Amino acid sequence: MQSKSETSDASRIIILDEHTANRIAAGEVVERPVSVVKELVENSLDAGATQITVSIEQGGKELIKVTDNGCGMTREDAILSLQRHATSKIRSASDLKAIRTLGFRGEALPSIASISILEMITKHESQPAGTRLEVEAGSITNLESVGAPQGTTIIVRKLFFNTPARLKFLKSAQTEFSHIAEYVGWFALAWPTVSFRLLHGGREVLSSPATGQRLNSIVEVLGKDIAKQLVEVHYELPGVRVEGFVSCPSLTRINRRDQIFFVNGRPIRNKIIAHALDYAYRGLLPSGRYPVAVLFLEVPPELVDVNVHPAKSEVKFSNEQEVHSAVYRSVNMALTTGAAIPTISEHAEPLGKPAPISSEQADITSKLFVPWPDAATQQHIQPMNLSAFQEALRRRREQALSEISDVGEDSWQKGSGVPVEESPVPEADFIAPRTVALTGVRVIGQARNMYVLAECDDGLLVIDQHVAHERILYDQLLRFDAESRSAIQRLLTPITISLSASESTVVRQRLDMLNQAGFDLEEFGRDTFILRGAPPQLKPSQAEAILRDIIAELVELSVERHLIVRSDQVLITTACKMAIKAGEKLDDREMKQLVEDLLKCENPFVCPHGRPIIVSLSNWELDRKFKRT
Ligand code: ADP
Ligand code: MG
């Protein structure tokens, strides 16, 4: 260490000049071209724009131009806006407690200007003429009056031209552009009343319809095939409102890329929301698969801290518990209502007219029913643009896959390296003309020793007996408590079970879950276990065979994926192995019991593997098919 007297100039504290400070801030705020797009578009939105056009050349490396029809700036403000911590959005530190705008740091424009050649043309309504400003590496080089429409255009050329280290890290123009396309897509989702256009090399890649309907933006951004398999989410608790769409369990992904969360209009990542979502899908998806979700949360600004990340891509809630339960409940409700039951209808027309709805149903049905854009709004959707945009997104996803570095429970699947793909979608069309409520259910009979046929007030139901029973058992296993523990049947003679090395490894790892599943199993020497009790649902004579089946499947799962079997997988496998098989003849009493138990399940529509349990044919569809309507 140097003594005080030897302190050289280099170690004395000085206040950095404005230019240096801006370039340091730029390092945090501007990582790549998409960061510039994000900051400029946020400014346009804060300025109240309803039309925003983003033009990109060379993935943003050559040029980024954002034009808006917002409030614009006076000449004075235009000059001020380029100074560090110049903002019109907050006045003092106390305003930080409740941020209502997307920007507030007053850092973006000066940061961007310090590492590019920037041109601004802006006109405020109070002024007769517009202002044109040119800035190079942070210094204003030209200032003049020009004719211009109200609003602001900002052109950023040669980004990072004076920071070669950053420049070196940029990826290909296509890759940089795909990041931009993804982000502009998010904006279009979050702001359905604003019209966004995105161009790359003069070619229009996205044009959002600004119909005010979220689903239309989703069709534009995620594509029609995905939009078709989404159910609407809508829920409110004091302090949180959740809206948006989540996928039916038939549509899953191998990672979280298609989970997009917005808080007060801002796309963010957040563990609380992600966890609540997982929780709502517990037992509905095969392990290692994730739902698609586009969720919009509105939280009073004083309850979210957006000032925890320089790029504002993370937030902190002070009402975490409420946020968690609002997300969980909203998604859970959407999944457990009829909206997720597939219907038998061949998907001819995208949308039949909804059936007449009784007034007491109208309220709830309007929430369950997923509206489909009508012909008029569909005209806004240009297939050519859609495909270019989807192409950009596909590239972004591919890249994201190679970048995945999530740690924790999910990380084990990254090795699988499978490209994002959809799980097979059942033939049936998920968008029912109306939902079928499960009231007044009555068993009619059994078909092919596989399906239980039933009727309900709204139509006919076909229930898959195996998956229905699987769901019932799974729910019982999940609820495991003292009562279920005492229900375990003692075997008169304990059974000794010798296993292979890999089998006993899996059993040892998951002994707790097997116990929870009702198998009273105890280790007894090397690779040998003693079975003293079995689940009450099993005949004692079946216990050993079924336990061996379960173990075999768990070993297979663990070998396939080289990992520890997830604990819920043990319950799912147990439920599957214990359930009535397809092909078993059921008598009336058994069928009645099955349906009765099924209706008590929290989610009678989808089995723990994600397969549908009930397929319905509504009275309305039936009458229509017979030309009675
Ligand atoms: P912040 O958004 O955090 O306030 P910025 O550096 O992004 O900081 O912008 C500085 C200021 O410039 C804003 O507060 C706003 O007053 C003004 N401004 C920037 N872009 C626009 C725009 N597109 N339209 C109108 N005003 C703008
Ligand atoms: Mg800003």
Side-chain angles (χ1 to χ4, degrees):
M1 257 196 55
Q2 288 175 321
S3 77
K4 247 190 185 153
S5 55
E6 284 168 346
T7 304
S8 69
D9 252 13
S11 66
R12 292 249 301 280
I13 294 176
I14 54 155
I15 303 276
L16 294 176
D17 67 68
E18 170 115 2
H19 280 271
T20 315
N22 284 338
R23 278 182 52 180
I24 291 171
E28 286 188 339
V29 181
V30 188
E31 193 192 340
R32 58 204 313 172
V34 66
S35 334
V36 173
V37 172
K38 167 185 179 290
E39 294 295 338
L40 297 183
V41 172
E42 284 187 356
N43 281 348
S44 299
L45 290 166
D46 281 344
T50 55
Q51 282 171 18
I52 300 175
T53 303
V54 180
S55 305
I56 302 297
E57 299 291 341
Q58 289 296 314
K61 296 196 255 189
E62 276 305 308
L63 178 135
I64 297 167
K65 176 174 166 190
V66 176
T67 301
D68 69 51
N69 64 346
C71 65
M73 284 175 269
T74 62
R75 172 179 285 227
E76 249 187 341
D77 279 352
I79 297 168
L80 260 180
S81 73
L82 293 162
Q83 282 172 32
R84 196 161 153 71
H85 303 311
T87 177
S88 55
K89 298 167 194 173
I90 58 171
R91 290 283 171 256
S92 67
S94 63
D95 289 350
L96 276 178
K97 288 187 203 133
I99 304 276
R100 280 163 214 282
T101 49
L102 294 169
F104 59 87
R105 290 168 180 258
E107 273 183 345
L109 279 185
S111 302
I112 296 165
S114 73
I115 48 170
S116 68
I117 297 169
L118 184 142
E119 179 182 340
M120 178 194 294
I121 301 158
T122 184
K123 183 185 170 297
H124 192 263
E125 60 175 349
S126 65
Q127 310 244 303
T131 303
R132 184 164 166 277
L133 261 168
E134 283 173 275
V135 192
E136 205 173 312
S139 309
I140 297 182
T141 53
N142 187 27
L143 173 66
E144 60 186 354
S145 290
V146 290
Q150 186 191 314
T152 304
T153 294
I154 292 184
I155 305 168
V156 175
R157 292 193 176 87
K158 305 261 176 240
L159 184 66
F160 300 132
F161 81 101
N162 55 351
T163 52
R166 270 290 149 102
L167 197 58
K168 235 180 37 211
F169 278 105
L170 292 187
K171 301 268 164 53
S172 71
Q174 276 311 328
T175 301
E176 293 302 335
F177 180 73
S178 60
H179 284 277
I180 295 173
E182 179 180 58
Y183 217 98
V184 175
W186 289 346
F187 275 122
L189 288 177
W191 300 78
T193 54
V194 175
S195 155
F196 289 92
R197 275 185 82 209
L198 173 64
L199 298 101
H200 194 202
R203 181 154 159 253
E204 186 176 274
V205 168
L206 174 80
S207 135
S208 77
T211 55
Q213 296 292 319
R214 285 231 155 99
L215 196 62
N216 291 357
S217 321
I218 287 183
V219 170
E220 177 75 26
V221 173
L222 297 181
K224 201 165 154 179
D225 291 343
I226 291 185
K228 262 187 174 174
Q229 299 179 68
L230 300 178
V231 286
E232 195 167 3
V233 166
H234 184 91
Y235 193 74
E236 199 163 349
L237 274 181
V240 206
R241 189 168 75 224
V242 183
E243 274 179 21
F245 294 87
V246 293
S247 56
C248 293
S250 58
L251 173 69
T252 61
R253 297 287 190 237
I254 60 157
N255 57 37
R256 295 186 187 281
R257 290 297 319 167
D258 279 336
Q259 297 184 358
I260 313 166
F261 310 139
F262 299 85
V263 172
N264 299 346
R266 203 190 289 281
I268 50 111
R269 314 216 152 274
N270 183 272
K271 291 227 164 84
I272 305 275
I273 303 176
H275 182 268
L277 188 65
D278 286 354
Y279 203 56
Y281 277 87
R282 208 176 29 153
L284 293 182
L285 301 183
S287 68
R289 305 291 307 193
Y290 296 89
V292 174
V294 183
L295 293 178
F296 304 92
L297 276 73
E298 293 292 331
V299 180
E302 58 276 14
L303 297 182
V304 252
D305 188 354
V306 287
N307 202 10
V308 291
H309 189 277
K312 302 178 227 114
S313 57
E314 281 166 27
V315 295
K316 190 160 173 22
F317 299 106
S318 37
N319 57 342
E320 283 183 348
Q321 197 51 53
E322 283 78 10
V323 168
H324 189 278
S325 51
V327 171
Y328 168 72
R329 286 193 213 174
S330 65
V331 176
N332 185 260
M333 258 170 59
L335 292 174
T336 51
T337 55
I341 320 182
T343 67
I344 294 175
S345 70
E346 358 49 82
H347 30 209
E349 322 86 86
L351 174 69
K353 275 192 222 82
I357 304 167
S358 66
S359 60
E360 75 271 19
Q361 277 178 331
D363 208 36
I364 166 159
T365 310
S366 66
K367 279 188 190 141
L368 309 185
F369 178 66
V370 182
W372 191 248
D374 58 26
T377 51
Q378 276 186 353
Q379 281 171 4
H380 292 281
I381 300 163
Q382 294 146 18
M384 192 196 75
N385 298 341
L386 194 68
S387 62
F389 181 68
Q390 305 273 303
E391 172 59 22
L393 284 191
R394 189 190 57 76
R395 208 170 279 124
R396 168 77 191 101
R397 290 203 183 97
E398 267 171 18
Q399 208 220 331
L401 264 178
S402 62
E403 283 172 3
I404 293 176
S405 59
D406 282 4
V407 282
E409 255 242 280
D410 316 334
S411 65
W412 53 267
Q413 8 161 2
K414 87 179 152 188
S416 59
V418 200
V420 176
E421 40 96 24
E422 295 172 17
S423 61
V425 178
E427 278 293 286
D429 191 348
F430 270 89
I431 297 182
R434 61 169 296 190
T435 56
V436 173
L438 296 182
T439 52
V441 180
R442 199 180 64 81
V443 171
I444 300 171
Q446 193 185 21
R448 294 164 55 200
N449 290 346
M450 279 167 89
Y451 301 114
V452 175
L453 309 181
E455 66 176 340
C456 66
D457 294 340
D458 291 342
L460 297 177
L461 305 172
V462 182
I463 302 166
D464 183 317
Q465 65 192 40
H466 171 69
V467 287
H469 197 210
E470 211 175 79
R471 159 57 65 197
I472 295 164
L473 292 170
Y474 179 71
D475 281 18
Q476 288 172 356
L477 295 180
L478 267 188
R479 266 200 314 271
F480 188 78
D481 50 22
E483 198 183 318
S484 9
R485 197 184 301 272
S486 65
I488 293 179
Q489 44 177 337
R490 308 273 108 219
L491 298 177
L492 288 177
T493 10
I495 304 173
T496 309
I497 299 183
S498 3
L499 299 172
S500 72
S502 57
E503 284 172 334
S504 56
T505 309
V506 169
V507 170
R508 224 173 282 123
Q509 274 165 357
R510 285 299 173 212
L511 201 55
D512 54 337
M513 295 316 289
L514 286 167
N515 284 335
Q516 169 161 351
F519 292 99
D520 182 353
L521 200 61
E522 200 185 301
E523 194 165 0
F524 184 73
R526 197 164 159 237
D527 298 343
T528 306
F529 291 79
I530 288 201
L531 181 65
R532 297 183 197 278
Q537 298 91 341
L538 291 182
K539 292 197 193 91
S541 59
Q542 300 173 304
E544 181 182 351
I546 288 190
L547 177 63
R548 284 190 176 276
D549 255 13
I550 294 169
I551 296 171
E553 181 157 329
L554 296 179
V555 167
E556 206 168 295
L557 281 171
S558 73
V559 170
E560 235 173 56
R561 303 222 171 98
H562 314 284
L563 39 92
I564 301 178
V565 190
R566 280 172 31 162
S567 56
D568 58 343
Q569 192 61 53
V570 179
L571 300 186
I572 292 176
T573 304
T574 307
C576 178
K577 297 296 176 200
M578 296 196 322
I580 302 168
K581 304 272 175 305
E584 263 178 61
K585 176 112 197 82
L586 301 181
D587 63 28
D588 286 352
R589 196 190 48 81
E590 287 167 328
M591 283 190 279
K592 252 185 90 183
Q593 187 66 49
L594 184 77
V595 172
E596 207 173 282
D597 291 347
L598 178 65
L599 293 181
K600 280 190 220 137
C601 291
E602 210 185 320
N603 189 333
F605 305 113
V606 191
C607 88
H609 290 99
R611 275 156 60 190
I613 298 173
I614 306 177
V615 165
S616 70
L617 180 57
S618 73
N619 290 337
W620 176 78
E621 277 178 282
L622 200 57
D623 292 348
R624 194 186 55 152
K625 284 193 167 52
F626 287 109
K627 312 245 176 296
R628 282 176 180 276
T629 46

